[in-house]
Amino acid sequence: MSSPRANNSQANSKGTLLKWLPWVLLLIVLAAFTWLFTSMNSASNAWEPPRTTPEEQQASAPVSDTPAPISSYHNAVARASQSVVNIYTTQAMAEHPYIDDPVLRRFFENQDSQQGAGPTNLGSGVIVSEDGYIVTNAHVVEKADEITVAFSDGRKSRAKVIGTDPDSDLAVIRVDMTGLTPLGFREEPIRVGDLALAIGNPFGVGQTVTQGIISATGRTGLGVNKFEDFIQTDAAINPGNSGGALVDARGELVGINTVIFSRSGGSMGIGFAIPTALVEQVMNALIKDGRVSRGWLGIEIQSQLRDPTQLETTTGVEVLKVVPQGPAAKSGLQVGDVILTIDDVEMTDANRLIQYVARKPPNMVLNAQILRRGKNAQVEIMLEERPVQEVVQRPVAMEGGLEEPDYHGQAQNRPMMSEEERDRMREELMKLFEQDGAVQ
C-alpha cells in the first residue's frame, strides 16, 4: 500500500502540471501565430533586385599574383554576359489610307512589298529575375508590335511589355520562362576611375564587350530625359547597346547603357548609363504597379546665376512660377524665393532639385530652407503626384537606338492628297494598266 505522503506528492504533481498546461499551450499558439505573421509579412515585401553573394564576388574578382596589371576579366564577363540579352523589335506598317480604292489598291498589289512587314530595330536588355523580368530602355521597345528576346545560350522567346517610363527611358519586359540567371546589382556606389565593361549587341553583330573607366557620375542637364542622373563612361557604346549592361570588374551591374554623344553615329568615348539606384526605383514601380509615381512641387525654377570671376559663388534655386493650387502654393512658397536646401541637402542647381524631388513619393513632407527678401525661412511642403507631361524629344546628337525610316515615323502626320490629285493619279494609273494589258 502506498503511503499518504506519496499520494499527496502525486496529487501535487498532477495539480502543478494541470496548472501550467494552459500556459504552455498558449505559448505554443502565440509562437505559431508569430511564425505565420512573419511569413506573410516577408512574402508581401517589395521585390528586391538580385544581389551577388560574397562567394560569387570572390569567384569573379580580378586576381593577380604580382603588382602587374590584371590581364583578364574573363570570369566577370562570363558571369555577367549570360544575363545580357539581345532584343529585336518590329512594328507593323500601317495600311495606306487609299488601300480601299479599287484602282489604287490594284496599284499597291502590283508593288513588290509585304503588307504589315515593318523594320527591325535592335537593342539589349538585362535579366533581373529568374522568372523572366528583363530591364531595357524605353526607346528600345517604344511602339513595338512584337518583341523577340535572344539569350546568350541561343534560346529565343517572345516578350511582353510590363511597363515603360519614358521620363527615365527605362522599361521592363517579361518572357514566359523560368530558371534564368539574373545579374546582381552592385551595392556600393560606383566611383570615378573604376573599371567599366559595357555588354550589348552593337550594330547587331552579336554580344560584345568593351572596356573603359567611369569618367563621371551624376551627369545632369543633357536634355535627354526629364530625370537624369547619368554615369559617364568611355567604354564604347554604339547603336544596339541601348538597354545593355554596364558592369564593374566583378561583373556586377552598375548601370543600363542608354545614350552616347556622337557626331558620326558611332562611339566617340562619351557614353552614358542610368545608375542602378534609379533603375531599382523605376523597375520596382513598373513591376508592382505598371507605372512610376513621382513627387511634384508645382513650381518652375532656375539655378542662381553664377559669375565665374567671383570668388564667392551663390547656390540655390530661384522660384520663377508657382502653379496655382499646387503643393508649393499650398505651403506658402512664393515667386522670387530661393530654395537653399531640402531636408538639409544643398540644392546647388535646378537639376539637383528636380532629381531629388522626383525620387520622393507623393504625400511625403519636405523641409525646405529658403531665402526670401534677404531673410532665411523654413517651409514645409507636402508633395503631390507629378502629372503626366509630354515626352522629351531626344537630341539628334545622342544615340537612342536605330532610327526609324521616314515613312514609318511620319505616316500619321503626312497630309492627305486632295481630290484633284487623287483623280489625276487614278487616270495615270488606268493608262498604265491598259498599256500593261495590251503588251500582255
Side-chain angles (χ1 to χ4, degrees):
M1 296 181 56
S2 59
S3 65
R5 178 175 298 181
N7 291 335
N8 291 337
S9 176
Q10 291 178 359
N12 291 335
S13 299
K14 290 181 180 180
T16 304
L17 179 62
L18 292 175
K19 179 181 178 180
W20 286 102
L21 182 61
W23 294 102
V24 172
L25 294 176
L26 179 60
L27 289 175
I28 294 175
V29 171
L30 289 176
F33 273 108
T34 302
W35 175 83
L36 180 62
F37 176 78
T38 305
S39 300
M40 294 178 61
N41 188 44
S42 61
S44 62
N45 286 339
W47 182 88
E48 293 291 336
R51 304 294 185 188
T52 305
T53 64
E55 292 77 12
E56 291 176 328
Q57 291 181 358
Q58 185 176 2
S60 60
V63 178
S64 178
D65 295 331
T66 67
I70 298 169
S71 61
S72 176
Y73 296 96
H74 170 77
N75 292 340
V77 172
R79 188 166 63 85
S81 59
Q82 62 183 333
S83 303
V84 180
V85 299
N86 299 338
I87 297 177
Y88 304 91
T89 64
T90 56
Q91 181 179 359
M93 299 290 288
E95 289 187 345
H96 198 280
Y98 301 126
I99 194 67
D100 293 331
D101 189 294
V103 175
L104 300 183
R105 183 173 66 246
R106 182 180 174 186
F107 170 74
F108 294 131
E109 290 172 352
N110 285 332
Q111 304 304 305
D112 186 18
S113 62
Q114 298 179 352
Q115 278 295 333
T120 298
N121 294 330
L122 305 175
S124 304
V126 178
I127 301 171
V128 293
S129 75
E130 295 182 356
D131 56 348
Y133 285 106
I134 297 172
V135 170
T136 184
N137 283 141
H139 73 259
V140 170
V141 298
E142 183 182 16
K143 300 179 181 178
D145 293 310
E146 188 175 77
I147 303 173
T148 302
V149 177
F151 297 85
S152 60
D153 58 6
R155 292 181 295 171
K156 293 183 179 180
S157 176
R158 295 281 188 259
K160 64 178 181 179
V161 177
I162 299 300
T164 62
D165 182 44
D167 289 341
S168 64
D169 195 22
L170 287 170
V172 175
I173 62 177
R174 190 177 188 182
V175 295
D176 189 14
M177 299 175 66
T178 58
L180 302 179
T181 304
L183 183 56
F185 283 39
R186 176 181 169 121
E187 295 189 30
E188 302 84 7
I190 196 70
R191 303 169 300 176
V192 175
D194 285 350
L195 181 92
L197 301 168
I199 307 176
N201 182 23
F203 299 108
V205 300
Q207 193 173 91
T208 303
V209 182
T210 56
Q211 177 190 350
I213 64 168
I214 301 299
S215 305
T217 59
R219 287 292 195 210
T220 60
L222 302 179
V224 182
N225 303 331
K226 286 183 181 177
F227 305 110
E228 299 177 343
D229 183 17
F230 289 120
I231 297 171
Q232 181 180 330
T233 180
D234 65 344
I237 299 174
N238 290 289
N241 271 108
S242 293
L246 186 70
V247 302
D248 61 11
R250 296 186 305 207
E252 294 182 316
L253 185 70
V254 299
I256 298 294
N257 301 322
T258 182
V259 291
I260 61 171
F261 269 123
S262 177
R263 296 180 179 177
S264 61
S267 174
M268 297 184 66
I270 303 179
F272 298 95
I274 302 170
T276 51
L278 182 56
V279 172
E280 183 175 348
Q281 175 200 3
V282 173
M283 176 179 60
N284 285 334
L286 292 178
I287 292 176
K288 180 181 178 182
D289 304 319
R291 56 187 293 271
V292 181
S293 178
R294 293 184 171 91
W296 179 61
L297 286 176
I299 56 177
E300 291 185 9
I301 55 177
Q302 73 172 7
S303 303
Q304 287 284 83
L305 297 178
R306 300 171 185 168
D307 186 351
T309 63
Q310 299 296 322
L311 297 180
E312 296 183 359
T313 58
T314 303
T315 61
V317 179
E318 182 181 359
V319 178
L320 300 181
K321 179 181 177 181
V322 178
V323 177
Q325 303 304 316
K330 295 176 183 178
S331 70
L333 206 63
Q334 302 175 7
V335 174
D337 289 347
V338 177
I339 302 175
L340 303 176
T341 64
I342 296 181
D343 295 338
D344 296 326
V345 177
E346 186 179 10
M347 296 295 111
T348 55
D349 54 44
N351 286 318
R352 184 165 189 176
L353 186 146
I354 293 172
Q355 304 306 320
Y356 185 86
V357 173
R359 293 194 180 189
K360 301 298 181 181
N363 301 321
M364 174 174 279
V365 177
L366 302 184
N367 296 308
Q369 181 183 0
I370 65 171
L371 185 65
R372 178 180 294 171
R373 301 184 188 90
K375 296 182 179 180
N376 289 332
Q378 295 284 338
V379 177
E380 289 189 353
I381 309 173
M382 177 176 287
L383 298 179
E384 296 180 8
E385 184 172 357
R386 184 179 182 87
V388 178
Q389 299 179 354
E390 295 181 359
V391 178
V392 173
Q393 295 296 326
R394 301 172 70 84
V396 177
M398 307 294 286
E399 183 273 321
L402 299 183
E403 296 182 1
E404 297 178 338
D406 291 342
Y407 173 83
H408 196 56
Q410 301 174 5
Q412 300 298 327
N413 299 325
R414 180 172 297 166
M416 302 285 284
M417 288 188 295
S418 65
E419 289 298 325
E420 181 180 354
E421 292 173 333
R422 180 177 178 180
D423 291 339
R424 185 167 62 250
M425 182 178 181
R426 285 169 57 92
E427 293 177 2
E428 294 176 355
L429 291 176
M430 287 297 294
K431 292 178 182 179
L432 290 175
F433 295 151
E434 291 173 357
Q435 293 175 2
D436 185 51
V439 171
Q440 293 179 356

